[in-house]
Amino acid sequence: MPRNQSTRRHHGLARALRLISIPTIVVIAVYFIYIRFGADSPSKSSDVPLANTPGGPWHDPNKDFIDEPSEPLHRVADDNYAPENPNSDRINATLLVLVRNSEQAEITQSMRDLERTWNHKFNYPWTFFNDEPFTAEFKHAVKRQTKAAVYFEQIPAEHWDTPPWINQDLFEESARILKEQNVQYADKISYRKMCRWNSALFAHHPALKDVQYYWRVEPHVKFFCDIEYDVFRFMRDHNKTYGFTINLYDSPQSISGLWPATEEFLADPANKDLLHPNNAMPWLVDSKHRPGHNLRAHGYSTCHFWSNFEIGDLGFWRGDAYMRYFNHLDRAGGFFYERWGDAPVHSIGLGLFEDRKRIHWFRDIGYNHIPYINCPNRPQGKCKGCETAKFTDGAKFLYKEDCRPSWFHHMGFGDWETPKHEA
């Protein structure tokens, strides 16, 4: 690190620490040690991925032909999923959207895709959340996209606002340091609030108290493949807690204190029995595929389920193990002092406290959130608009961000038959 850059960083830290009480300084000093040493990257030679590269050694299972997961699968028959049927086969589930009024065009595009490929058949309700009231224009626009019920909810201030234990001066100083490291959204307080809410608090909104399953949908995403079965009943009938499509590495600079905070939680004798015996710890601490990431994240592989797509059981996020873990992280302050995202927090929680067999790869659902893609090899005509097994529509270097090789290496293929590799 250049001398003048180091001097500016240390002077900035000193200014922030002068404003904070002495007992807090000890905790903060430890935190900034993680930030400081996490910022110095190891040599590139230590971070060569054994992963998915175009023409590389890893065989992408999306190249192999599949259609649907195993039965039982519930399908449309007559009017069993009609929108006005009070005795329909729908279960307690919703399509869940956190969105701003200004994202009206982007979310209606996402809705059109998901309605076309799936929900026009099953008519599950949409539930929209915002920290501000929705406008009449927004409500009218989204209602036009579906025959299903639509609900509009405002997030309580106590779930969205910065919690009182967060020190504003320390936030600003840490945001400046993260910005120096080119961490995306480094200085965006709204992004921190969103990640914190999506990590756990969404599951406790009063509007969801009678809902068990949700499918998270974000603005400006695409769905490519026709899905002919009820995914929520699939989750229930196959005893699944969580479903994903894309599995990525995170920016280690943004979460350098997350794994140390997790280890602190696990070291507490009160939490010793929370680990599930069939957990996904080998995936969480893998250091073979991206050793540089593991080093900068202090023992965490940074692998995570990309949570802009997730189908899940709200009961897990409301459960004792996960909520104790979330509350520990929340009090540690890393959602604000670093930039802990809901994706790694969800993934670590699932990897520690849930049976890994209850985590499902929705391999058959074609999906895109720029710049990454899940595009399966399904029967002709089932998927439109994506190239089979293409992982990204961005630059080739993005292929190294694919963490599926690590997940499959440690966890297998779950409900899907192990694909036949090419000779």
Side-chain angles (χ1 to χ4, degrees):
M1 179 189 303
R3 182 179 180 85
N4 60 346
Q5 181 180 347
S6 177
T7 301
R8 289 197 307 271
R9 176 175 295 176
H10 294 153
H11 285 173
L13 174 57
R15 288 195 303 273
L17 292 179
R18 282 198 297 270
L19 301 171
I20 304 169
S21 64
I22 294 299
T24 308
I25 289 176
V26 176
V27 176
I28 294 171
V30 173
Y31 157 73
F32 270 99
I33 288 172
Y34 288 129
I35 285 280
R36 169 62 182 85
F37 288 101
D40 292 336
S41 303
S43 65
K44 290 183 180 179
S45 62
S46 70
D47 199 28
V48 177
L50 303 174
N52 180 14
T53 55
W58 185 69
H59 177 86
D60 189 335
N62 270 337
K63 294 178 180 178
D64 300 294
F65 180 84
I66 57 102
D67 191 8
E68 294 179 331
S70 59
E71 297 282 352
L73 299 173
H74 287 266
R75 306 179 189 276
V76 173
D78 299 322
D79 68 344
N80 64 329
Y81 282 97
E84 304 298 334
N85 183 353
N87 300 310
S88 77
D89 287 346
R90 284 184 293 273
I91 59 176
N92 292 333
T94 192
L95 300 164
L96 188 152
V97 185
L98 174 64
V99 64
R100 301 182 184 96
N101 287 302
S102 60
E103 295 171 306
Q104 175 183 310
E106 292 84 353
I107 194 59
T108 53
Q109 175 259 302
S110 300
M111 290 182 71
R112 284 192 294 272
D113 263 20
L114 190 51
E115 287 287 332
R116 172 180 54 83
T117 56
W118 184 72
N119 200 46
H120 79 277
K121 296 171 278 228
F122 296 95
N123 294 294
Y124 273 95
W126 291 83
T127 307
F128 293 86
F129 293 92
N130 193 348
D131 63 307
E132 299 177 349
F134 284 106
T135 64
E137 179 186 356
F138 182 93
K139 293 178 180 180
H140 177 70
V142 299
K143 284 181 177 180
R144 291 178 59 190
Q145 311 305 320
T146 181
K147 302 188 302 291
V150 181
Y151 304 101
F152 301 96
E153 304 293 343
Q154 189 167 350
I155 300 169
E158 61 270 23
H159 285 180
W160 188 262
D161 290 348
T162 304
W165 56 85
I166 298 301
N167 182 281
Q168 184 65 25
D169 297 290
L170 180 56
F171 163 73
E172 291 174 1
E173 180 64 16
S174 60
R176 185 186 65 79
I177 292 174
L178 291 175
K179 195 169 185 178
E180 286 181 1
Q181 299 175 32
N182 297 315
V183 172
Q184 192 176 26
Y185 309 121
D187 57 351
K188 302 296 185 185
I189 190 73
S190 60
Y191 189 84
R192 309 300 211 287
K193 294 177 179 180
M194 177 190 72
C195 290
R196 178 175 178 257
W197 187 79
N198 276 329
S199 290
L201 299 174
F202 79 101
H204 298 269
H205 193 286
L208 299 177
K209 65 182 179 64
D210 296 321
V211 177
Q212 182 175 3
Y213 296 101
Y214 70 101
W215 183 339
R216 177 169 160 182
V217 183
E218 292 205 350
H220 202 47
V221 299
K222 296 178 181 177
F223 297 92
F224 302 115
C225 304
D226 291 331
I227 304 298
E228 306 291 345
Y229 62 93
D230 183 337
V231 299
F232 295 123
R233 293 190 67 145
F234 169 84
M235 294 285 287
R236 188 185 68 179
D237 295 345
H238 293 260
N239 197 27
K240 300 299 179 185
T241 297
Y242 189 83
F244 71 96
T245 53
I246 295 170
N247 191 326
L248 298 174
Y249 291 93
D250 208 347
S251 164
Q253 294 91 337
S254 69
I255 52 171
S256 63
L258 177 56
W259 191 249
T262 300
E263 290 182 315
E264 180 184 51
F265 176 80
L266 295 175
D268 186 334
N271 303 322
K272 64 182 178 66
D273 295 327
L274 297 181
L275 274 178
H276 196 283
N278 194 35
N279 60 61
M281 184 71 81
W283 173 66
L284 294 174
V285 300
D286 178 90
S287 60
K288 178 180 179 182
H289 291 80
R290 295 293 291 277
H293 275 50
N294 181 286
L295 180 62
R296 294 192 292 273
H298 303 284
Y300 172 37
S301 67
T302 78
C303 284
H304 63 278
F305 308 117
W306 213 23
S307 58
N308 47 70
F309 174 106
E310 57 183 14
I311 300 175
D313 184 341
L314 289 165
F316 179 80
W317 311 125
R318 297 165 178 155
D320 178 63
Y322 183 78
M323 280 308 299
R324 283 160 65 177
Y325 175 60
F326 169 77
N327 287 331
H328 174 82
L329 297 183
D330 200 23
R331 296 298 304 194
F335 288 108
F336 294 89
Y337 299 144
E338 293 189 352
R339 200 218 62 191
W340 296 353
D342 52 279
V345 171
H346 274 189
S347 301
I348 293 174
L350 288 159
L352 294 176
F353 310 125
E354 185 53 283
D355 184 342
R356 64 194 192 193
K357 291 182 178 179
R358 298 187 68 178
I359 299 172
H360 177 71
W361 178 31
F362 275 105
R363 178 181 179 181
D364 54 324
I365 297 181
Y367 177 73
N368 169 231
H369 182 298
I370 296 172
Y372 300 108
I373 303 168
N374 184 70
C375 187
N377 182 3
R378 296 193 56 200
Q380 187 173 6
K382 287 289 185 73
C383 298
K384 299 175 183 177
C386 66
E387 180 181 334
T388 299
K390 185 176 183 180
F391 173 69
T392 178
D393 51 12
K396 288 185 178 180
F397 74 85
L398 292 174
Y399 275 83
K400 69 179 181 180
E401 304 305 329
D402 186 0
C403 192
R404 289 176 305 155
S406 177
W407 175 259
F408 299 143
H409 173 74
H410 293 293
M411 305 295 126
F413 289 88
D415 298 305
W416 302 101
E417 181 183 354
T418 302
K420 298 177 181 179
H421 290 198
E422 295 173 343

